[in-house]
Amino acid sequence: MNTTTIPKQEFLGSIERFQANIKAAGLDACPVHANESDMANERYLSEYWPTFEAAALFVPAEGESALSVGTESDNYAAQWSVFANIEKMIEYREFAEAECPGIVFASYRDIVAKYTPVLEVKKLGIVSWAITPLPVHMSLN
């Protein structure tokens, strides 16, 4: 139920221009982090606006982008994002939430393997207005 009036091609064109900038900067990929108060970059690229849990759009220099969301945002993201590639990551869940037994989460390693042709990210850019301290287990290594 995507009700946006901006054509999907406009978002895909933004991703293509962003990928060209990623390549020009000598980077392999760039996650674009967002939360309910800092969503502009991610919304510009994907039409998704996180309203409860944080999120990130993983944009490889080449290949398909993937939207990473928390445990409760996947259905909402599927309705609003122009991307079909939506992955649940525990790092983006609402932090007051208890453990999530029975839910399968992707890791950044999984996302890199699934959405990049290089299978190894050596140089990673990060887009965010305010860098939130991230758990150690979010590393790509």
Side-chain angles (χ1 to χ4, degrees), residues 14-90:
S14 296
I15 289 291
E16 288 173 7
R17 289 187 298 277
F18 187 44
Q19 285 179 313
N21 289 336
I22 291 170
K23 288 178 197 174
L27 301 172
D28 298 312
C30 191
V32 180
H33 294 275
N35 59 41
E36 63 275 3
S37 63
D38 177 17
M39 87 310 285
N41 293 318
E42 188 166 305
R43 189 164 187 205
Y44 173 77
L45 293 170
S46 72
E47 183 58 357
Y48 180 66
W49 179 342
T51 57
F52 176 64
E53 297 178 303
L57 182 64
F58 178 78
V59 184
E62 294 180 17
E64 295 183 55
S65 298
L67 180 62
S68 299
V69 297
T71 57
E72 299 180 45
S73 299
D74 56 331
N75 288 332
Y76 177 69
Q79 289 180 346
W80 287 102
S81 174
V82 297
F83 294 101
N85 303 330
I86 298 172
E87 304 285 347
K88 285 185 184 179
M89 290 184 69
I90 198 164

Side-chain angles (χ1 to χ4, degrees), residues 115-138:
Y115 297 104
T116 64
V118 294
L119 298 181
E120 182 178 45
V121 172
K122 294 180 182 177
K123 291 182 97 177
L124 182 71
I126 298 175
V127 176
S128 178
W129 282 103
I131 299 295
T132 304
L134 302 174
V136 172
H137 64 277
M138 282 188 68

Side-chain angles (χ1 to χ4, degrees), residues 87-109:
E87 304 285 347
K88 285 185 184 179
M89 290 184 69
I90 198 164
E91 291 83 2
Y92 297 110
R93 78 187 190 292
E94 195 275 315
F95 284 101
E97 186 176 316
E99 292 298 316
C100 307
I103 298 177
V104 177
F105 294 100
S107 67
Y108 267 111
R109 182 174 298 211

